[in-house]
Amino acid sequence: MSNASDTPSKGPASVAVIGAGIGGLAVATCLRRIGVDVTIYEQAPQFSRVGAGIQMGPNAMQVLSRLGLRERLGSVAYTPPALANREWDTGEVTFSLPMGDRAEETYGAPYFLLHRGDLHEALTTLVPSDIVRLDRRVTAIRELADRVTLDFQDGSSVTADAVIAADGVHSIVRQQMFSADDAVFTKRVAYRTVFPTSLMDGNPPDVASTKWWGLDRHIVIYFVSAGREIYFTTSVPDEEWTTESWSAQGDVAELREAFAGFHPEVQAVLTACPSVHKWAIYDRDPLETWHSDRVVLLGDACHPMTPYMAQGAATALEDAVVLSRCIEQLGFGRLPEAFAMYESARKPRTSRIQSESRSNHWLRRPQDTHWVYDYNAWSVPLPTPEPVSAGRED
Ligand SMILES: Cc1cc2nc3c(=O)[nH]c(=O)nc-3n(C[C@H](O)[C@H](O)[C@H](O)COP(=O)(O)OP(=O)(O)OC[C@H]3O[C@@H](n4cnc5c(N)ncnc54)[C@H](O)[C@@H]3O)c2cc1C
């Protein structure tokens, strides 16, 4: 066992959160606000600024605003006037969803385009640094009747009253406790990069947030860092590349080749970009069970999705709020019921988004957007708690 400082202290109920990503930091913040003693275990030795943009739609901004981050994020966000959808060759606009000031009027919160590093950094300010244990990679989890034990790669262990696994798309907790990884490689890749707008020689893209729809591929281009940087991400057929990682490098020449023939505005962005990363896109079905008596999954760990609706991190943020509301309502003494309540509150929505995202037609044509963007995790009604069968034996 590790020393006492690594063991969440007794007194208030202790929760170990695995993963200091978007969902992990958010749920730790929410739980601390209702008096839960939280410790976060993160495998990375330090936080690094992943070169990516991230769209935070109104449903995500509801969460972030109430956590107190709206002003901070507003100073580094780009607020798009619209989400434009255009044909790859002619540039014809097939649908443009008004955003800007209209987002707040229509959905109750703004639509922010952010550098992922800015979002993550903002979330880290919500938790005291001494509750985040870096360089602690969980290798095994064991649930007993009255506690959960985590083993780490460095040979140490900790125990906690409960564990929230926010350990992302490759979740070890999902694999060890709930389901072997059934990821299906879509044979498509996301090239992505962030680069200074100044590299466009004073000719930045006309429309600040556009998805360019090709016959079998697309590219999404938008400003981040309050317009100082440009981000794009793609979906391109690729039978060979199977690495699902934020750090893997791609080949710019291959990328430009993949978009030869696209509209001149796209060509201009691809010509200006100096380097790219490459992420293999996998798809996974909704998971049957999200929790046991003392362990629960959150974010990509339980509902990983293709990135085609820009809702993965948004739904992780929603999970964090709803899970903490369920725990607050039922109390720590009824944890299995609280976990079940959270799963039944969240699964229909995340499964629907997983399925919609898989089909990749979001916003190509006019459609209902309210079911996604109107959702307010702080006020959405919670289901009636159901009794849960007695806990497991040691
Ligand atoms: C190309 C692309 C574009 C995207 N764009 C958007 C977008 O615009 N909007 C949006 O909402 N979503 C977007 N997403 C999805 C979004 O990135 C994810 O859904 C989101 O990061 C999930 O958050 P999470 O907290 O569940 O996981 P993560 O943010 O991945 O965090 C998991 C954390 O757990 C840590 N960890 C993992 N295993 C262990 C272990 N064994 N022990 C300890 N720590 C561990 C990891 O190091 C990491 O810090 C995009 C995804 C991709 C691939």
Side-chain angles (χ1 to χ4, degrees), residues 40-328:
I40 310 176
Y41 298 96
E42 166 58 46
Q43 65 182 358
Q46 74 260 324
F47 294 133
S48 54
R49 192 171 165 85
V50 170
I54 195 153
Q55 307 187 39
M56 290 283 99
N59 53 318
M61 287 310 303
Q62 292 282 10
V63 175
L64 294 167
S65 298
R66 180 105 165 239
L67 292 180
L69 293 179
R70 179 173 169 154
E71 204 177 325
R72 180 189 174 114
L73 293 175
S75 68
V76 288
Y78 183 80
T79 309
L83 302 181
N85 292 268
R86 300 177 68 179
E87 290 296 332
W88 64 284
D89 49 355
T90 61
E92 179 204 342
V93 177
T94 57
F95 180 48
S96 183
L97 184 67
M99 284 296 171
D101 292 343
R102 292 282 297 281
E104 191 118 23
E105 292 157 22
T106 313
Y107 307 109
Y111 200 106
F112 279 1
L113 302 174
L114 293 159
H115 192 297
R116 193 182 173 95
D118 288 335
L119 173 62
H120 190 265
E121 198 180 337
L123 287 165
T124 62
T125 65
L126 298 176
V127 294
S129 56
D130 64 351
I131 72 156
V132 184
R133 308 284 156 82
L134 296 171
D135 210 3
R136 304 298 297 277
R137 183 189 184 86
V138 174
T139 53
I141 180 165
R142 277 167 292 132
E143 182 177 6
L144 305 172
D146 61 347
R147 64 194 182 281
V148 187
T149 300
L150 299 177
D151 296 337
F152 297 95
Q153 197 167 34
D154 62 10
S156 63
S157 305
V158 295
T159 60
D161 294 319
V163 166
I164 299 174
D167 51 345
V169 76
H170 300 295
S171 170
I172 191 165
V173 177
R174 180 180 72 230
Q175 287 169 39
Q176 288 189 5
M177 290 190 63
F178 298 100
S179 149
D181 198 352
D182 58 353
V184 177
F185 177 42
T186 61
K187 300 188 178 161
R188 309 185 68 83
V189 296
Y191 288 97
R192 52 157 242 277
T193 198
V194 175
F195 67 93
T197 308
S198 59
L199 292 184
M200 301 251 352
D201 286 335
N203 289 308
D206 254 1
V207 182
S209 175
T210 305
K211 184 163 180 176
W212 297 85
W213 296 83
L215 301 176
D216 65 349
R217 63 201 64 202
H218 70 246
I219 180 167
V220 181
I221 303 172
Y222 56 84
F223 287 132
V224 295
S225 311
R228 291 186 300 278
E229 293 183 296
I230 292 171
Y231 168 72
F232 65 75
T233 181
T234 72
S235 174
V236 178
D238 187 327
E239 302 262 329
E240 313 289 328
W241 183 268
T242 54
T243 309
E244 195 181 25
S245 143
W246 288 112
S247 54
Q249 293 284 332
D251 181 332
V252 187
E254 272 178 29
L255 165 68
R256 290 181 187 139
E257 178 64 25
F259 286 89
F262 268 61
H263 193 274
E265 276 186 47
V266 176
Q267 302 294 339
V269 169
L270 298 185
T271 303
C273 90
S275 60
V276 277
H277 285 88
K278 196 173 179 181
W279 166 288
I281 301 172
Y282 283 77
D283 197 11
R284 296 167 175 89
D285 284 326
L287 203 58
E288 200 172 321
T289 311
W290 290 15
H291 71 94
S292 61
D293 286 355
R294 290 179 177 271
V295 179
V296 66
L297 302 173
L298 180 147
D300 275 4
C302 63
H303 47 70
M305 53 185 73
T306 56
Y308 304 148
M309 283 173 73
Q311 282 294 321
T315 49
L317 292 168
E318 294 173 355
D319 287 350
V321 173
V322 173
L323 177 57
S324 67
R325 285 179 60 206
C326 293
I327 293 173
E328 183 179 29

Side-chain angles (χ1 to χ4, degrees), residues 31-47:
L31 289 177
R32 279 172 50 78
R33 290 183 180 189
I34 58 167
V36 177
D37 174 22
V38 186
T39 307
I40 310 176
Y41 298 96
E42 166 58 46
Q43 65 182 358
Q46 74 260 324
F47 294 133

